[in-house]
Amino acid sequence: MSIDTAPGASANALDATSGVATRRDILHRLLMTLGPILAALIIAGCILLAVGVDPLAYYGYVLEKGLFSPLGIQQTLTRMAPLLFLAAGLIVAFRAGMWNLGGDGQFLLGAVTAAASAPVLVQVMPAWLALICSFLISMVVAMAWSLLPALLRAYQGVNEIITTLMMTFLGTSLANVLVKLVFRDPGTTVPQTRTLPVEDRLPRLFDTTITSGLVLGLAAIIIVHLVMTRTAFGLKLRIVGANPRAAVHAGLGVPGLTVAVFAISAGLAGLAGAVDVIGVQGNVRADWNPAYGLAVIPAVFLARMNGFAAIGFVFLLSVLSIGGESAARRLGVPNHFTLVLVSIVLIVLALAEYVDHRYNQSRKA
């Protein structure tokens, strides 16, 4: 009997140990994900107290407008559309071990291109075909804008953080110049592009104000997730991100894959700008820059570059964005305080990752 029961007891012990380890892993992930968010909310609340604003009232207005109001939740879901495209582009870059921080410049150039091309194209072809062409033009322009950082990283080893940030400043300035000098609507006194008629924009969902760009954004991030996790191409990109030298020894064309990563990431950023203009804005005004590109980065990191998890964190970011605008008007808080909150999340997340890394190293030692 002892011979028969010993293996069973060992198996039960192994199962119990495995279950405990799994629960620890889940709790650890939850702590590393939700902990920075809660810490950032507390720190931001302290800042609000320091300037004489009730943080509970501020967060209450954020939830009331961004989540519990019927019109607010529609605005929140609409705001998600461009953010999902940007998140998809960042997932491609980050999983491949590359930092495309030029999303804002690529976004604005895509938006300006769509705003300039769509009103003209709808006059000479069916609206659905004109919108598709505008999407493609925006994507190609954003891809072209990423070409210089991609080539410098691929063939010269130049740090892409520096080059993409520099291209962001140049792209933002170029977008403003194009709006003011090249694509300016002569029929208005305000420097802006021509306005795309409402009936020619992306259709709404279910008789609401939610743009169908939300569906496109969800499709984009899900496709990116599946490509990065279920295809040979995605495996190649992850190998390049994990160990570029090993990728070279494995015979992978690292320079070509590097250019492809930047092109895909930038193309998705350009589509984000096109979706925002064609689906919501209708035009682009001079000096318009919502700075979505950098705001999405914490959401992607909190999701651990997982496309499905990123959808949830993008929704949270949209709630903060829409609700924060309402709270700012009611309480006299600067309109960009949401960006401050997002920045605090990123800083706390980086600190948490550093502490966790040092703790794991000390345990292994």
Side-chain angles (χ1 to χ4, degrees):
M1 291 294 293
S2 61
I3 296 176
D4 294 333
T5 56
S10 300
N12 291 334
L14 287 174
D15 290 340
T17 304
S18 176
V20 171
T22 301
R23 287 193 293 271
R24 285 180 179 175
D25 183 60
I26 293 174
L27 290 174
H28 178 263
R29 287 178 178 271
L30 287 175
L31 179 62
M32 292 298 296
T33 300
L34 300 179
I37 297 176
L38 295 176
L41 291 174
I42 293 173
I43 295 172
C46 294
I47 295 175
L48 290 172
L49 281 175
V51 297
V53 176
D54 182 3
L56 295 180
Y58 179 85
Y59 293 138
Y61 285 134
V62 169
L63 293 176
E64 177 186 344
K65 177 64 176 178
L67 189 59
F68 298 128
S69 164
L71 179 60
I73 190 64
Q74 293 179 43
Q75 293 175 338
T76 295
L77 293 175
T78 297
R79 178 66 56 85
M80 284 181 66
L83 300 181
L84 287 171
F85 275 100
L86 287 166
L90 289 173
I91 288 173
V92 173
F94 291 160
R95 276 185 172 264
M98 302 173 202
W99 289 75
N100 177 21
L101 300 184
D104 284 329
Q106 297 152 8
F107 173 92
L108 284 174
L109 289 174
V112 170
T113 305
S117 60
V120 176
L121 293 176
V122 293
Q123 298 177 4
V124 297
M125 61 180 67
W128 64 270
L129 183 58
L131 297 186
I132 292 175
C133 291
S134 295
F135 279 127
L136 293 176
I137 294 171
S138 299
M139 182 176 64
V140 170
V141 168
M143 285 180 169
W145 194 250
S146 73
L147 188 59
L148 180 59
L151 293 175
L152 290 174
R153 160 68 189 256
Y155 295 102
Q156 300 296 326
V158 178
N159 191 311
E160 73 275 11
I161 295 177
I162 299 173
T163 55
T164 54
L165 283 175
M166 291 175 63
M167 294 299 285
T168 287
F169 292 119
L170 292 174
T172 302
S173 300
L174 178 60
N176 286 325
V177 169
L178 291 175
V179 171
K180 294 177 180 179
L181 300 180
V182 181
F183 300 132
R184 179 171 179 171
D185 183 0
T188 62
T189 57
V190 178
Q192 66 180 38
T193 63
R194 297 178 185 272
T195 300
L196 181 67
V198 175
E199 60 272 15
D200 293 327
R201 300 177 192 176
L202 290 175
R204 307 295 176 177
L205 297 177
F206 311 114
D207 296 326
T208 66
T209 61
I210 304 172
T211 174
S212 54
L214 174 64
V215 178
L216 299 177
L218 290 171
I221 199 166
I222 291 173
I223 290 172
V224 162
H225 177 81
L226 295 177
V227 168
M228 295 301 296
T229 58
R230 304 292 178 87
T231 67
F233 179 70
L235 177 61
K236 291 178 181 179
L237 296 186
R238 286 186 283 124
I239 292 173
V240 171
N243 194 328
R245 292 185 178 180
V248 172
H249 289 299
L252 299 181
V254 175
L257 289 173
T258 299
V259 174
V261 166
F262 274 95
I264 295 171
S265 181
L268 289 167
L271 288 174
V275 162
D276 203 21
V277 169
I278 294 175
V280 182
Q281 307 294 338
N283 59 38
V284 174
R285 293 192 175 190
D287 301 319
W288 175 69
N289 182 12
Y292 292 153
L294 295 178
V296 173
I297 292 176
V300 174
F301 277 128
L302 288 169
R304 298 297 188 269
M305 277 75 78
N306 181 290
F308 292 106
I311 294 173
F313 286 107
V314 166
F315 175 74
L316 175 61
L317 177 60
S318 299
V319 170
L320 290 174
S321 178
I322 296 297
E325 293 173 0
S326 175
R329 290 191 296 268
R330 295 186 184 188
L331 298 175
V333 178
N335 198 34
H336 295 294
F337 185 76
T338 302
L339 291 179
V340 175
L341 178 58
V342 170
S343 302
I344 296 173
V345 171
L346 186 59
I347 294 171
V348 175
L349 178 62
L351 291 174
E353 291 286 350
Y354 173 76
V355 172
D356 184 61
H357 178 69
R358 293 299 298 269
Y359 175 72
N360 290 332
Q361 280 187 330
S362 64
R363 288 186 63 187
K364 291 178 182 179

